[in-house]
Structure formats: C-alpha cells, structure tokens
Amino acid sequence: MYNGKKIYLRNYEENDMNNLKNIMNNYKVREFLTLNIILPFSSNDQGNFFKSIPERRKKYIYDFAIVRKEDDALIGGSVVKNVDFKNSVCGAGFFIDEKYWEHGYGGEAVNLIEKFIFYELNIRKIKLEVISNNIRALKLYEKLGYQKEGILKKEIFRNGKYLDLILLAKFRE
C-alpha cells in the first residue's frame, strides 16, 4: 500500500469490481481513457479483469485501486504497464471518478505511482499517453513535471472524430 495525505493506493479487491464498473462506464470518465477496448464494461468483464490480475502481474502490469482515506471509497485506478527493465522505461495510466475531479486526488495518485515506479521498480522514465481533449490532465501532468515528447495525429476516435494522442514523459531526478 502507498499512502498519501488524502488517498492511498492498494491492490484491487473483489468487492471493488461493481464500483469500478460504474466508474469505467461513466461517459465523462471513459471519454478520456486510451484503453483499446469496447466500452461499456459488464459485470462479467469486471470479474474477468479481477481474475486476470495475477497473470497481469507476471507480465509486469501493476494495477492499483485509488482509495480515499476519509471513507475508504474507491475513487479511481491506475496501471503501470509496458515495463521495460532493460531500458528502464514504463507506461502509466490513471482515471478518477468524475465526482472526485478537482479535489487534488489525481495529482496525489500520480505522485504515489511515481514513487512506486522510480523507487520500487527502479525505472528512470515514465511515459503517459493523453487524448488531446483532456485539458485537465494535460495541465496536471505539466504542473507535475511531465514534458511533451510527441503527438500521434488523429490517433484516437471519440465522439465521431479523430483526436490527437499526446505523448508525455518524466524522468527520475
């Protein structure tokens, strides 16, 4: 478990799956997800995800529940993926339930994941992919020291149009 001031990160638990499904199926949340899957998620999909976590760990994919300290509510999730120990790079992704936006939880979650990546996995570079219309996330990542490394033009299809995918990165200091 990784503790912050307002949140902590932990492994997903089976009783998280219904709440996770509800968060992932919120239109405003999933609009910004770069997942290459068909949404909405069903209860069966969430059950399959939970069952796959041990296999995902074997492939160096680390899934974390983002939990609010004051009431132990699941408010989002994070994934560390594409871990390349040889080159010391990995990818990460985050999502927060819409009702918890603008409360500082996202920034704290990013900081906690950075500690895991930089100091537990000993990785030197974190890569993020952000859909160009996710202005809130782009501002947050810039504030936290992520720098733009590139743009994949018209890479993501959302709401009837193709959007750019912004590539960001941060190095361990």
Side-chain angles (χ1 to χ4, degrees):
M1 183 179 343
Y2 297 88
N3 279 298
K5 291 181 181 180
K6 298 190 284 187
I7 63 164
Y8 61 93
L9 305 179
R10 63 162 168 75
N11 291 326
Y12 283 109
E13 298 170 353
E14 193 166 8
N15 63 355
D16 292 329
M17 292 301 107
N18 191 52
N19 194 13
L20 182 62
K21 177 186 69 154
N22 293 336
I23 295 170
M24 297 291 282
N25 285 334
N26 177 314
Y27 174 79
K28 288 185 179 179
V29 172
R30 74 174 188 235
E31 176 181 13
F32 300 121
L33 297 178
T34 59
L35 299 171
N36 193 18
I37 56 174
I38 302 298
L39 296 170
F41 281 150
S42 68
S43 295
N44 191 46
D45 294 331
Q46 288 307 121
N48 290 338
F49 165 72
F50 183 74
K51 290 175 191 170
S52 76
I53 290 174
E55 288 303 312
R56 290 168 60 85
R57 286 274 166 135
K58 290 178 186 176
K59 297 175 185 176
Y60 303 110
I61 301 170
Y62 304 94
D63 298 290
F64 294 95
I66 300 172
V67 181
R68 192 166 67 162
K69 280 185 166 183
E70 72 181 65
D71 58 3
D72 289 321
L74 177 76
I75 64 166
S78 179
V79 63
V80 176
K81 58 187 180 179
N82 303 322
V83 178
D84 178 347
F85 288 107
K86 179 181 179 208
N87 296 302
S88 195
V89 298
C90 72
F94 306 87
F95 63 91
I96 300 286
D97 189 347
E98 175 191 10
K99 61 186 168 189
Y100 299 105
W101 290 354
E102 305 295 336
H103 295 283
Y105 299 123
E108 193 169 328
V110 173
N111 288 328
L112 292 174
I113 285 294
E114 286 175 358
K115 288 178 184 175
F116 171 73
I117 292 170
F118 290 147
Y119 303 110
E120 296 293 325
L121 298 180
N122 195 30
I123 297 293
R124 68 177 177 82
K125 180 181 180 182
I126 302 170
K127 300 185 295 185
L128 305 176
E129 297 177 342
V130 183
I131 300 173
S132 58
N133 67 342
N134 194 348
I135 304 303
R136 183 176 40 262
L138 289 167
K139 286 181 181 179
L140 172 65
Y141 295 136
E142 182 180 314
K143 178 181 167 185
L144 296 175
Y146 286 81
Q147 295 183 346
K148 188 186 298 184
E149 290 199 325
I151 300 173
L152 300 176
K153 294 291 190 179
K154 298 182 179 181
E155 183 79 5
I156 300 289
F157 187 74
R158 290 290 187 282
N159 302 318
K161 59 185 173 184
Y162 288 93
L163 300 169
D164 296 344
L165 190 62
I166 311 297
L167 307 176
L168 304 168
K170 182 175 182 178
F171 288 88
R172 180 175 60 209
E173 296 173 356

Coordinates of all heavy atoms in Angstrom, one line a residue, residues 38-119:
I38 N -13.6 -2.2 -26.1 CA -15.0 -1.7 -26.3 C -15.7 -1.5 -24.9 O -15.7 -2.4 -24.1 CB -15.8 -2.7 -27.1 CG1 -15.1 -3.0 -28.4 CG2 -17.3 -2.2 -27.3 CD1 -15.0 -1.8 -29.4
L39 N -16.2 -0.3 -24.7 CA -16.9 0.0 -23.5 C -18.4 0.1 -23.9 O -18.8 0.3 -25.0 CB -16.5 1.4 -23.0 CG -15.0 1.4 -22.5 CD1 -14.6 2.8 -22.2 CD2 -14.8 0.5 -21.3
P40 N -19.3 -0.1 -23.0 CA -19.2 -0.2 -21.6 C -18.8 -1.6 -21.1 O -18.9 -2.6 -21.8 CB -20.6 0.1 -21.1 CG -21.5 -0.3 -22.2 CD -20.7 -0.1 -23.5
F41 N -18.3 -1.6 -19.9 CA -17.9 -2.8 -19.2 C -19.2 -3.5 -18.6 O -20.0 -2.8 -18.0 CB -17.0 -2.5 -18.0 CG -15.5 -2.3 -18.5 CD1 -14.7 -1.5 -17.7 CD2 -15.0 -2.9 -19.6 CE1 -13.4 -1.3 -18.1 CE2 -13.7 -2.7 -19.9 CZ -12.9 -1.9 -19.2
S42 N -19.2 -4.8 -18.6 CA -20.3 -5.5 -18.0 C -19.7 -6.0 -16.7 O -18.5 -6.0 -16.4 CB -20.7 -6.7 -18.9 OG -19.7 -7.6 -19.0
S43 N -20.6 -6.6 -15.8 CA -20.2 -7.2 -14.6 C -19.2 -8.4 -14.9 O -18.3 -8.6 -14.2 CB -21.4 -7.7 -13.8 OG -22.1 -6.6 -13.4
N44 N -19.5 -9.1 -16.0 CA -18.7 -10.2 -16.4 C -17.3 -9.7 -16.8 O -16.3 -10.3 -16.4 CB -19.3 -11.0 -17.6 CG -18.6 -12.3 -17.8 OD1 -18.3 -13.0 -16.9 ND2 -18.4 -12.5 -19.1
D45 N -17.2 -8.6 -17.5 CA -15.9 -8.0 -17.9 C -15.1 -7.7 -16.6 O -13.9 -7.9 -16.6 CB -16.1 -6.7 -18.7 CG -16.7 -7.0 -20.1 OD1 -16.5 -8.1 -20.6 OD2 -17.4 -6.1 -20.6
Q46 N -15.8 -7.1 -15.7 CA -15.0 -6.7 -14.4 C -14.6 -7.9 -13.7 O -13.5 -7.9 -13.1 CB -15.9 -5.8 -13.6 CG -16.1 -4.4 -14.1 CD -14.8 -3.7 -14.4 OE1 -14.6 -3.3 -15.6 NE2 -13.9 -3.5 -13.5
G47 N -15.4 -8.9 -13.6 CA -15.0 -10.2 -13.0 C -13.8 -10.8 -13.7 O -12.8 -11.3 -13.0
N48 N -13.8 -10.8 -15.0 CA -12.6 -11.3 -15.8 C -11.4 -10.5 -15.5 O -10.3 -11.0 -15.4 CB -13.0 -11.3 -17.3 CG -14.0 -12.4 -17.6 OD1 -14.2 -13.4 -16.9 ND2 -14.7 -12.2 -18.7
F49 N -11.6 -9.2 -15.4 CA -10.4 -8.3 -15.1 C -9.8 -8.7 -13.8 O -8.6 -8.9 -13.6 CB -10.8 -6.8 -15.1 CG -9.8 -5.9 -14.5 CD1 -8.6 -5.7 -15.1 CD2 -10.0 -5.4 -13.2 CE1 -7.6 -4.8 -14.5 CE2 -9.1 -4.6 -12.6 CZ -7.9 -4.3 -13.3
F50 N -10.7 -8.8 -12.8 CA -10.2 -9.1 -11.4 C -9.4 -10.5 -11.4 O -8.4 -10.6 -10.9 CB -11.3 -9.2 -10.4 CG -10.9 -9.4 -9.0 CD1 -10.2 -8.5 -8.3 CD2 -11.1 -10.7 -8.4 CE1 -9.7 -8.7 -7.0 CE2 -10.6 -10.9 -7.1 CZ -10.0 -9.9 -6.4
K51 N -10.0 -11.5 -12.1 CA -9.3 -12.8 -12.2 C -8.0 -12.7 -12.9 O -7.1 -13.5 -12.7 CB -10.3 -13.8 -12.9 CG -11.5 -14.2 -12.1 CD -12.4 -15.1 -12.9 CE -13.7 -15.2 -12.1 NZ -14.7 -15.9 -13.0
S52 N -7.9 -11.8 -13.8 CA -6.6 -11.7 -14.6 C -5.5 -11.0 -13.9 O -4.3 -11.0 -14.4 CB -6.9 -10.9 -16.0 OG -7.0 -9.5 -15.8
I53 N -5.7 -10.3 -12.8 CA -4.7 -9.5 -12.1 C -3.4 -10.3 -11.8 O -2.3 -9.9 -12.1 CB -5.3 -8.8 -10.9 CG1 -6.2 -7.7 -11.4 CG2 -4.2 -8.2 -10.0 CD1 -7.0 -7.0 -10.2
P54 N -3.5 -11.6 -11.3 CA -2.3 -12.3 -11.0 C -1.5 -12.6 -12.3 O -0.2 -12.5 -12.3 CB -2.8 -13.6 -10.4 CG -4.1 -13.3 -9.8 CD -4.7 -12.2 -10.7
E55 N -2.1 -12.9 -13.4 CA -1.4 -13.1 -14.7 C -0.8 -11.8 -15.2 O 0.2 -11.8 -15.8 CB -2.4 -13.7 -15.7 CG -2.7 -15.1 -15.4 CD -1.5 -16.0 -15.4 OE1 -0.6 -15.9 -16.2 OE2 -1.4 -16.8 -14.4
R56 N -1.5 -10.7 -15.0 CA -1.0 -9.4 -15.4 C 0.2 -9.1 -14.6 O 1.2 -8.5 -15.2 CB -2.1 -8.3 -15.2 CG -3.3 -8.4 -16.1 CD -4.5 -7.5 -15.8 NE -4.2 -6.1 -15.7 CZ -4.2 -5.3 -16.8 NH1 -4.5 -5.8 -18.0 NH2 -4.0 -4.0 -16.6
R57 N 0.3 -9.4 -13.3 CA 1.5 -9.1 -12.5 C 2.7 -9.9 -13.1 O 3.8 -9.4 -13.1 CB 1.2 -9.5 -11.1 CG 0.4 -8.5 -10.3 CD 1.2 -7.4 -9.7 NE 0.3 -6.3 -9.3 CZ 0.4 -5.7 -8.2 NH1 1.4 -6.0 -7.3 NH2 -0.4 -4.7 -7.9
K58 N 2.4 -11.1 -13.5 CA 3.5 -11.9 -14.1 C 4.1 -11.3 -15.3 O 5.2 -11.5 -15.7 CB 3.0 -13.3 -14.4 CG 2.7 -14.2 -13.2 CD 2.2 -15.5 -13.6 CE 1.8 -16.3 -12.4 NZ 1.1 -17.6 -12.8
K59 N 3.3 -10.4 -16.0 CA 3.7 -9.7 -17.2 C 4.2 -8.3 -16.9 O 4.3 -7.4 -17.7 CB 2.6 -9.7 -18.2 CG 2.2 -11.0 -18.7 CD 1.0 -10.9 -19.6 CE 0.5 -12.3 -20.0 NZ -0.7 -12.3 -20.8
Y60 N 4.4 -8.0 -15.6 CA 4.8 -6.7 -15.1 C 3.8 -5.6 -15.4 O 4.2 -4.5 -15.8 CB 6.2 -6.3 -15.6 CG 7.3 -7.4 -15.3 CD1 7.8 -8.2 -16.2 CD2 7.6 -7.5 -13.9 CE1 8.7 -9.2 -15.9 CE2 8.6 -8.5 -13.6 CZ 9.1 -9.3 -14.6 OH 10.0 -10.3 -14.2
I61 N 2.6 -5.9 -15.3 CA 1.5 -5.0 -15.3 C 0.9 -4.8 -13.9 O 0.5 -5.8 -13.3 CB 0.4 -5.4 -16.3 CG1 0.9 -5.6 -17.7 CG2 -0.8 -4.4 -16.3 CD1 -0.1 -6.2 -18.7
Y62 N 1.0 -3.6 -13.4 CA 0.6 -3.4 -12.0 C -0.6 -2.5 -11.9 O -0.6 -1.4 -12.3 CB 1.8 -2.7 -11.2 CG 3.1 -3.5 -11.3 CD1 4.0 -3.2 -12.3 CD2 3.3 -4.5 -10.4 CE1 5.2 -4.0 -12.4 CE2 4.5 -5.3 -10.5 CZ 5.4 -5.0 -11.5 OH 6.6 -5.7 -11.5
D63 N -1.7 -3.1 -11.4 CA -3.0 -2.4 -11.2 C -3.2 -2.0 -9.8 O -3.0 -2.7 -8.9 CB -4.1 -3.3 -11.7 CG -4.0 -3.7 -13.1 OD1 -4.2 -2.9 -14.0 OD2 -3.7 -4.9 -13.4
F64 N -3.6 -0.7 -9.6 CA -3.8 -0.2 -8.3 C -5.2 0.5 -8.2 O -5.6 1.2 -9.1 CB -2.8 0.9 -7.9 CG -1.4 0.4 -7.8 CD1 -0.5 0.4 -8.9 CD2 -0.9 -0.2 -6.6 CE1 0.8 0.0 -8.8 CE2 0.4 -0.6 -6.5 CZ 1.2 -0.6 -7.6
A65 N -5.8 0.2 -7.1 CA -7.1 1.0 -6.7 C -6.6 2.3 -6.1 O -5.7 2.3 -5.2 CB -7.9 0.1 -5.8
I66 N -7.3 3.4 -6.4 CA -7.1 4.6 -5.8 C -8.3 4.8 -4.8 O -9.4 4.8 -5.2 CB -7.1 5.8 -6.8 CG1 -6.0 5.6 -7.8 CG2 -6.9 7.1 -6.1 CD1 -6.0 6.6 -9.0
V67 N -7.9 4.9 -3.5 CA -8.9 4.9 -2.4 C -8.8 6.2 -1.6 O -7.7 6.5 -1.2 CB -8.7 3.6 -1.6 CG1 -9.8 3.6 -0.5 CG2 -8.8 2.4 -2.4
R68 N -9.9 6.8 -1.3 CA -10.0 8.0 -0.5 C -9.9 7.6 1.0 O -10.6 6.7 1.4 CB -11.3 8.8 -0.8 CG -11.3 10.1 -0.1 CD -12.4 11.0 -0.7 NE -13.7 10.4 -0.3 CZ -14.8 11.1 -0.3 NH1 -14.8 12.3 -0.7 NH2 -15.9 10.6 0.1
K69 N -9.0 8.2 1.7 CA -8.7 7.8 3.1 C -9.9 8.1 4.0 O -10.2 7.2 4.9 CB -7.5 8.6 3.6 CG -6.2 8.0 3.3 CD -5.1 8.8 4.0 CE -3.8 8.1 3.9 NZ -2.7 8.7 4.6
E70 N -10.6 9.2 3.8 CA -11.6 9.6 4.8 C -12.8 8.6 4.9 O -13.4 8.5 5.9 CB -12.2 11.0 4.5 CG -13.1 11.1 3.3 CD -13.5 12.5 3.1 OE1 -12.7 13.4 2.8 OE2 -14.8 12.7 3.2
D71 N -13.1 7.8 3.8 CA -14.2 6.9 3.9 C -13.9 5.5 3.2 O -14.8 4.7 3.0 CB -15.4 7.5 3.3 CG -15.2 7.9 1.9 OD1 -14.2 7.7 1.3 OD2 -16.2 8.5 1.3
D72 N -12.6 5.3 2.8 CA -12.2 4.1 2.1 C -13.0 3.8 0.8 O -13.1 2.7 0.4 CB -12.3 2.9 3.0 CG -11.2 2.9 4.1 OD1 -10.1 3.3 3.8 OD2 -11.5 2.5 5.3
A73 N -13.4 4.9 0.2 CA -14.1 4.8 -1.1 C -13.2 4.6 -2.2 O -12.2 5.4 -2.3 CB -15.0 6.0 -1.3
L74 N -13.5 3.7 -3.1 CA -12.7 3.5 -4.3 C -13.1 4.7 -5.2 O -14.3 4.9 -5.6 CB -13.1 2.2 -5.0 CG -12.4 2.0 -6.4 CD1 -11.0 1.6 -6.2 CD2 -13.2 1.0 -7.2
I75 N -12.1 5.5 -5.6 CA -12.4 6.7 -6.4 C -11.7 6.7 -7.8 O -11.9 7.6 -8.6 CB -12.0 8.0 -5.7 CG1 -10.5 8.1 -5.5 CG2 -12.8 8.1 -4.4 CD1 -10.1 9.5 -5.1
G76 N -11.0 5.6 -8.1 CA -10.3 5.5 -9.4 C -9.3 4.4 -9.4 O -9.3 3.5 -8.5
G77 N -8.5 4.5 -10.4 CA -7.5 3.4 -10.6 C -6.3 3.9 -11.4 O -6.3 4.9 -12.0
S78 N -5.2 3.1 -11.3 CA -4.0 3.4 -12.0 C -3.4 2.0 -12.5 O -3.6 1.0 -11.9 CB -3.0 4.1 -11.1 OG -1.8 4.3 -11.8
V79 N -2.7 2.1 -13.6 CA -2.0 1.0 -14.1 C -0.6 1.4 -14.5 O -0.3 2.5 -15.0 CB -2.7 0.3 -15.3 CG1 -2.8 1.3 -16.5 CG2 -2.0 -1.0 -15.7
V80 N 0.4 0.5 -14.2 CA 1.8 0.7 -14.6 C 1.9 -0.5 -15.6 O 1.7 -1.6 -15.3 CB 2.8 0.5 -13.5 CG1 4.2 0.6 -14.0 CG2 2.5 1.6 -12.4
K81 N 2.4 -0.2 -16.8 CA 2.4 -1.2 -17.9 C 3.6 -1.0 -18.8 O 4.3 0.0 -18.7 CB 1.1 -1.0 -18.7 CG 0.9 0.4 -19.4 CD -0.4 0.6 -20.0 CE -0.5 2.0 -20.6 NZ -1.7 2.2 -21.3
N82 N 3.8 -1.9 -19.7 CA 4.9 -1.9 -20.7 C 6.2 -1.6 -19.9 O 7.0 -0.8 -20.4 CB 4.7 -0.8 -21.7 CG 3.4 -1.0 -22.5 OD1 3.0 -2.2 -22.8 ND2 2.7 0.1 -22.8
V83 N 6.4 -2.3 -18.8 CA 7.6 -2.2 -18.1 C 8.8 -2.8 -18.8 O 8.8 -4.0 -19.2 CB 7.5 -2.8 -16.7 CG1 8.8 -2.6 -15.9 CG2 6.3 -2.1 -15.9
D84 N 9.8 -2.0 -19.1 CA 11.0 -2.4 -19.8 C 12.2 -2.2 -18.9 O 12.7 -1.1 -18.8 CB 11.1 -1.6 -21.1 CG 12.3 -1.9 -21.9 OD1 13.3 -2.6 -21.4 OD2 12.4 -1.5 -23.1
F85 N 12.6 -3.3 -18.2 CA 13.6 -3.1 -17.2 C 15.0 -2.9 -17.9 O 15.8 -2.2 -17.3 CB 13.7 -4.4 -16.3 CG 12.6 -4.4 -15.3 CD1 11.5 -5.4 -15.5 CD2 12.5 -3.6 -14.2 CE1 10.5 -5.4 -14.6 CE2 11.4 -3.6 -13.3 CZ 10.4 -4.5 -13.5
K86 N 15.2 -3.5 -19.0 CA 16.5 -3.3 -19.7 C 16.7 -1.8 -20.0 O 17.8 -1.3 -19.8 CB 16.5 -4.1 -21.0 CG 17.8 -3.9 -21.8 CD 17.8 -4.7 -23.1 CE 19.1 -4.4 -23.8 NZ 19.0 -4.6 -25.3
N87 N 15.7 -1.1 -20.6 CA 15.9 0.3 -20.9 C 15.4 1.2 -19.9 O 15.5 2.4 -20.0 CB 15.1 0.5 -22.3 CG 15.8 -0.2 -23.4 OD1 17.0 -0.1 -23.7 ND2 15.1 -1.1 -24.0
S88 N 14.8 0.7 -18.8 CA 14.4 1.4 -17.6 C 13.3 2.5 -17.9 O 13.4 3.6 -17.5 CB 15.6 2.1 -16.9 OG 15.2 2.5 -15.6
V89 N 12.3 2.0 -18.7 CA 11.1 2.8 -19.0 C 9.8 2.0 -18.8 O 9.8 0.8 -18.8 CB 11.1 3.4 -20.5 CG1 12.4 4.2 -20.7 CG2 11.1 2.2 -21.5
C90 N 8.7 2.8 -18.6 CA 7.4 2.1 -18.5 C 6.4 3.1 -18.8 O 6.6 4.3 -18.8 CB 7.2 1.5 -17.1 SG 6.9 2.8 -15.8
G91 N 5.1 2.6 -19.0 CA 4.0 3.5 -19.2 C 3.1 3.5 -17.9 O 3.2 2.6 -17.1
A92 N 2.3 4.5 -17.8 CA 1.3 4.5 -16.7 C 0.0 5.2 -17.2 O 0.0 5.9 -18.2 CB 1.9 5.3 -15.5
G93 N -1.0 4.9 -16.5 CA -2.3 5.5 -16.8 C -3.1 5.7 -15.5 O -2.9 4.9 -14.5
F94 N -4.0 6.6 -15.5 CA -4.8 7.0 -14.4 C -6.3 7.3 -14.7 O -6.5 7.8 -15.8 CB -4.3 8.2 -13.7 CG -2.8 8.1 -13.3 CD1 -1.8 8.5 -14.3 CD2 -2.4 7.7 -12.1 CE1 -0.5 8.4 -14.0 CE2 -1.1 7.6 -11.8 CZ -0.1 7.9 -12.7
F95 N -7.2 7.0 -13.9 CA -8.5 7.5 -14.0 C -9.1 7.8 -12.6 O -8.8 7.1 -11.7 CB -9.4 6.6 -14.8 CG -9.6 5.3 -14.2 CD1 -10.7 5.0 -13.4 CD2 -8.8 4.2 -14.5 CE1 -10.9 3.8 -12.8 CE2 -8.9 3.0 -13.9 CZ -10.0 2.8 -13.0
I96 N -9.9 8.8 -12.5 CA -10.6 9.2 -11.3 C -12.1 9.4 -11.6 O -12.5 9.9 -12.7 CB -10.1 10.6 -10.8 CG1 -8.6 10.5 -10.5 CG2 -10.8 11.0 -9.5 CD1 -8.2 9.7 -9.2
D97 N -12.9 8.9 -10.7 CA -14.4 9.0 -10.8 C -14.7 10.5 -11.0 O -14.2 11.4 -10.2 CB -15.1 8.4 -9.6 CG -16.6 8.3 -9.7 OD1 -17.2 9.0 -10.6 OD2 -17.2 7.7 -8.9
E98 N -15.6 10.8 -11.9 CA -16.0 12.2 -12.2 C -16.3 13.1 -10.9 O -16.0 14.2 -10.8 CB -17.1 12.3 -13.1 CG -17.7 13.6 -13.4 CD -19.0 13.6 -14.2 OE1 -19.6 12.6 -14.3 OE2 -19.4 14.7 -14.6
K99 N -17.0 12.4 -10.0 CA -17.4 13.2 -8.8 C -16.3 13.6 -7.9 O -16.4 14.4 -6.9 CB -18.5 12.5 -8.0 CG -18.2 11.1 -7.5 CD -19.4 10.5 -6.9 CE -19.1 9.0 -6.6 NZ -20.3 8.3 -6.2
Y100 N -15.1 13.1 -8.2 CA -13.9 13.4 -7.3 C -12.9 14.3 -8.1 O -11.8 14.5 -7.6 CB -13.2 12.1 -6.8 CG -14.2 11.3 -5.9 CD1 -14.8 10.2 -6.4 CD2 -14.5 11.7 -4.6 CE1 -15.6 9.4 -5.6 CE2 -15.3 11.0 -3.8 CZ -15.9 9.9 -4.3 OH -16.7 9.1 -3.5
W101 N -13.3 14.7 -9.3 CA -12.4 15.6 -10.0 C -12.2 17.0 -9.3 O -13.1 17.4 -8.6 CB -13.0 15.9 -11.4 CG -12.9 14.7 -12.4 CD1 -12.4 13.5 -12.1 CD2 -13.5 14.6 -13.7 NE1 -12.6 12.6 -13.2 CE2 -13.3 13.3 -14.2 CE3 -14.3 15.5 -14.4 CZ2 -13.7 12.9 -15.4 CZ3 -14.7 15.1 -15.7 CH2 -14.4 13.8 -16.2
E102 N -11.1 17.6 -9.5 CA -10.8 18.9 -9.0 C -10.7 18.9 -7.5 O -10.9 20.0 -6.8 CB -11.9 19.9 -9.4 CG -12.1 20.0 -10.9 CD -10.9 20.5 -11.7 OE1 -10.0 21.3 -11.1 OE2 -10.8 20.2 -12.9
H103 N -10.3 17.8 -6.9 CA -10.1 17.8 -5.4 C -8.6 17.4 -5.1 O -8.3 17.2 -3.9 CB -11.0 16.8 -4.8 CG -12.4 17.1 -4.9 ND1 -13.0 18.1 -4.1 CD2 -13.4 16.7 -5.7 CE1 -14.3 18.2 -4.4 NE2 -14.6 17.4 -5.4
G104 N -7.7 17.4 -6.1 CA -6.3 17.1 -5.8 C -6.0 15.6 -5.7 O -4.8 15.2 -5.5
Y105 N -7.0 14.7 -5.9 CA -6.7 13.3 -5.8 C -5.9 12.8 -7.0 O -5.0 11.9 -6.8 CB -8.0 12.5 -5.8 CG -8.9 12.8 -4.6 CD1 -10.2 13.3 -4.9 CD2 -8.5 12.7 -3.3 CE1 -11.1 13.6 -3.8 CE2 -9.3 13.0 -2.3 CZ -10.6 13.4 -2.5 OH -11.4 13.7 -1.4
G106 N -6.1 13.3 -8.2 CA -5.3 12.9 -9.3 C -3.8 13.2 -9.2 O -3.0 12.3 -9.4
G107 N -3.5 14.4 -8.8 CA -2.1 14.7 -8.6 C -1.4 13.9 -7.5 O -0.3 13.5 -7.6
E108 N -2.1 13.6 -6.4 CA -1.6 12.8 -5.4 C -1.4 11.3 -5.9 O -0.4 10.7 -5.6 CB -2.5 12.8 -4.1 CG -1.9 12.2 -2.9 CD -2.6 12.5 -1.6 OE1 -3.3 13.5 -1.6 OE2 -2.6 11.6 -0.8
A109 N -2.3 10.8 -6.7 CA -2.2 9.5 -7.2 C -1.0 9.4 -8.1 O -0.2 8.4 -8.1 CB -3.5 9.1 -8.0
V110 N -0.8 10.4 -9.0 CA 0.4 10.4 -9.8 C 1.7 10.4 -9.0 O 2.6 9.6 -9.3 CB 0.4 11.6 -10.8 CG1 1.7 11.7 -11.6 CG2 -0.8 11.5 -11.7
N111 N 1.8 11.2 -8.0 CA 2.9 11.2 -7.1 C 3.2 9.9 -6.4 O 4.4 9.4 -6.3 CB 2.8 12.3 -6.0 CG 3.0 13.7 -6.6 OD1 3.7 13.9 -7.5 ND2 2.2 14.7 -6.0
L112 N 2.1 9.2 -6.0 CA 2.3 7.9 -5.4 C 2.8 6.8 -6.4 O 3.7 6.0 -6.1 CB 1.0 7.5 -4.7 CG 0.6 8.3 -3.4 CD1 -0.8 7.8 -3.0 CD2 1.6 8.2 -2.3
I113 N 2.2 6.9 -7.6 CA 2.7 5.9 -8.6 C 4.1 6.2 -9.0 O 4.9 5.3 -9.2 CB 1.7 6.0 -9.8 CG1 0.4 5.3 -9.5 CG2 2.4 5.3 -11.0 CD1 0.5 3.8 -9.2
E114 N 4.5 7.5 -9.1 CA 5.9 7.8 -9.4 C 6.8 7.2 -8.3 O 7.9 6.6 -8.7 CB 6.1 9.3 -9.4 CG 5.5 10.0 -10.6 CD 5.6 11.5 -10.6 OE1 6.1 12.0 -9.6 OE2 5.2 12.1 -11.6
K115 N 6.5 7.2 -7.1 CA 7.3 6.6 -6.0 C 7.5 5.1 -6.3 O 8.6 4.6 -6.1 CB 6.8 6.9 -4.6 CG 6.9 8.4 -4.2 CD 6.3 8.6 -2.9 CE 6.4 10.1 -2.5 NZ 5.8 10.4 -1.3
F116 N 6.4 4.5 -6.6 CA 6.4 3.0 -6.9 C 7.3 2.8 -8.1 O 8.2 1.9 -8.0 CB 5.0 2.5 -7.1 CG 5.0 1.1 -7.7 CD1 5.2 0.0 -6.8 CD2 4.7 0.9 -9.0 CE1 5.2 -1.3 -7.3 CE2 4.7 -0.4 -9.5 CZ 4.9 -1.5 -8.6
I117 N 7.1 3.5 -9.1 CA 7.9 3.3 -10.4 C 9.4 3.6 -10.2 O 10.3 2.8 -10.5 CB 7.3 4.1 -11.5 CG1 5.9 3.5 -11.9 CG2 8.3 4.1 -12.7 CD1 5.2 4.4 -12.9
F118 N 9.7 4.8 -9.6 CA 11.1 5.2 -9.5 C 11.8 4.5 -8.5 O 13.0 4.2 -8.6 CB 11.1 6.7 -9.3 CG 10.7 7.6 -10.4 CD1 10.1 8.8 -10.2 CD2 11.0 7.2 -11.7 CE1 9.7 9.6 -11.3 CE2 10.6 8.0 -12.8 CZ 10.0 9.3 -12.6
Y119 N 11.2 4.2 -7.3 CA 12.0 3.6 -6.2 C 11.7 2.2 -5.9 O 12.6 1.5 -5.3 CB 11.7 4.5 -5.0 CG 12.1 5.9 -5.2 CD1 11.1 6.9 -5.3 CD2 13.4 6.3 -5.5 CE1 11.4 8.2 -5.6 CE2 13.7 7.6 -5.8 CZ 12.7 8.6 -5.9 OH 13.0 9.9 -6.2

